[in-house]
Amino acid sequence: MLLLSVCHAQDQPTTASGDPDLSQQPWRDRLAALEAKINSRDQEVTKMLQQVLTNQQTILRFLHAAPFPYVPAPRAPESRSLTTTAAGDVPLAAVVAPAPAANAIQRPRSCRDIPDGMSGEETIYLGPGEPVEVYCDQDYEEGGWIVIQNRFDGFVNFNRSWEKYRDGFGDIGTEHWLGLDTIHRLTVATPHEIAFVAESFKGERRSARYTLFEIGGETDRYRLQKLGVYSGTLGDEFNYNKGMEFSTYDQDHDQYADVNCAIRTASGWWHRSCTRINLNGLYGNESGVRFAYWLDWLHLNGLKRTRIMIRELKRRK
């Protein structure tokens, strides 16, 4: 504004003859346009300041106004159990049970519940606050399998006592036996199937599968009480053990008179008189009743790899 005032205060430029100098006219026009633009912006700023003052007054009125009334958060629905009279129409008492929390953590109870679908060591729950470490095989037959026995190099001794077979032994990530007590609790809680995978020292692999598998508890000596329909390439040899109690070298529950089959075969198993499969026997590329064998496949020749797995049957939705 000051610049424009000074410019207007100066005399209009002239030539030597005293005539107006028309060559300076474009500059005067540009200065006049700039002055008009500045005046317009001044008006816009004035309007903005007025709006700010108006907003401040509105905010002050809002702060001095009465607060909003308190509105409680909506409550979760309640489930009620009513006791009625003999007529069935008058409630006498109501028991209110809190609804389950929407964000409650769902603990996996089987390898089917593991979300990532990767084989490996996982934690599942036999019940609230009862975690157990297992190895989940997510590669065999669509996954979801809990490995209850795994052998591949003979590092772990499987000729163990009753206590060891009950509680489990070995390393979950390598060679191991999961434990009869855990197997019992899993299979009685929900129906399970069972699968066997074996490999010879020549690299040939075969398998067997039964549609149902369940064992009793320790008071029933972990009896093999349920076994479903067989399918596979190993041969239906496990049926021979159906109904048998588990035996170890220190607890003889087989049906072979005067012989402890667990000692004879060097393995804990559901021996009858004794067994046609001996997957917990001695490890080695040798032949005999004390080695790990599947009779219908390779007779008494030792097996290089064995894996026994159970899987919870699909739940109905």
Side-chain angles (χ1 to χ4, degrees):
M1 296 290 290
L2 179 60
L3 175 63
L4 294 176
S5 299
V6 172
C7 291
H8 281 292
Q10 294 178 347
D11 293 334
Q12 187 178 28
T14 60
T15 62
S17 61
D19 297 325
D21 187 0
L22 299 179
S23 65
Q24 300 296 321
Q25 187 65 33
W27 287 103
R28 289 197 298 273
D29 293 341
R30 291 175 64 184
L31 288 172
L34 181 59
E35 181 181 17
K37 189 173 183 179
I38 291 174
N39 288 334
S40 175
R41 291 295 174 86
D42 285 344
Q43 293 175 1
E44 292 177 5
V45 170
T46 301
K47 290 181 180 179
M48 292 175 63
L49 290 174
Q50 291 175 348
Q51 185 63 45
V52 169
L53 291 174
T54 301
N55 291 342
Q56 287 179 338
Q57 293 173 354
T58 302
I59 292 172
L60 289 173
R61 286 197 303 270
F62 176 80
L63 292 175
H64 287 87
F68 290 109
Y70 169 72
V71 179
R75 298 179 62 184
E78 298 175 342
S79 60
R80 296 176 178 268
S81 175
L82 300 180
T83 303
T84 61
T85 62
D89 54 354
V90 181
L92 300 179
V95 179
V96 179
N103 59 348
I105 299 175
Q106 298 297 319
R107 302 290 190 184
R109 67 184 191 189
S110 78
C111 288
R112 279 194 183 277
D113 299 331
I114 303 301
D116 60 14
M118 300 291 289
S119 294
E121 298 176 46
E122 301 286 354
T123 301
I124 62 174
Y125 289 79
L126 300 176
E130 294 184 277
V132 59
E133 297 298 316
V134 300
Y135 189 93
C136 292
D137 188 325
Q138 306 289 15
D139 300 311
Y140 181 75
E141 295 291 335
E142 300 180 351
W145 297 91
I146 298 172
V147 178
I148 65 173
Q149 187 254 40
N150 193 40
R151 304 186 74 185
F152 55 86
D153 62 7
F155 182 78
V156 174
N157 174 26
F158 273 68
N159 191 13
R160 299 294 188 101
S161 66
W162 178 267
E163 180 182 3
K164 293 296 184 181
Y165 268 100
R166 179 192 65 198
D167 300 337
F169 55 84
D171 188 316
I172 290 295
T174 58
E175 292 197 328
H176 72 278
W177 174 264
L178 183 59
L180 290 166
D181 200 59
T182 299
I183 298 169
H184 158 67
R185 295 192 60 186
L186 286 168
T187 58
V188 297
T190 55
H192 280 68
E193 58 183 321
I194 188 169
F196 301 83
V197 179
E199 180 182 331
S200 72
F201 278 91
K202 294 182 179 180
E204 184 182 358
R205 293 185 180 183
R206 293 196 182 187
S207 62
R209 190 166 165 181
Y210 293 84
T211 57
L212 187 63
F213 172 75
E214 181 183 312
I215 65 172
E218 187 170 17
T219 56
D220 197 27
R221 298 167 179 170
Y222 302 110
R223 182 189 303 274
L224 178 53
Q225 53 194 24
K226 291 183 181 180
L227 190 64
V229 178
Y230 162 82
S231 63
T233 55
L234 272 169
D236 184 13
E237 302 283 44
F238 196 38
N239 244 317
Y240 179 78
N241 307 98
K242 184 177 180 180
M244 295 299 100
E245 299 171 353
F246 203 85
S247 292
T248 56
Y249 65 72
D250 58 344
Q251 289 208 31
D252 182 9
H253 304 137
D254 60 58
Q255 295 185 348
Y256 203 145
D258 302 324
V259 173
N260 183 338
C261 287
I263 294 177
R264 184 182 184 188
T265 61
S267 73
W269 197 249
W270 293 275
H271 290 290
R272 183 183 290 271
S273 298
C274 291
T275 184
R276 297 180 63 83
I277 58 176
N278 191 35
L279 301 190
N280 290 339
L282 300 179
Y283 183 88
N285 188 12
E286 300 184 47
S287 180
V289 295
R290 293 173 61 81
F291 289 90
Y293 62 81
W294 194 288
L295 194 65
D296 195 44
W297 180 28
L298 298 173
H299 196 55
L300 298 177
N301 293 318
L303 297 169
K304 182 179 180 180
R305 295 175 182 266
T306 62
R307 175 171 286 193
I308 308 174
M309 301 170 285
I310 60 173
R311 180 170 66 179
E312 183 183 37
L313 297 179
K314 290 184 178 180
R315 306 164 197 158
R316 294 182 179 179
K317 296 183 179 180

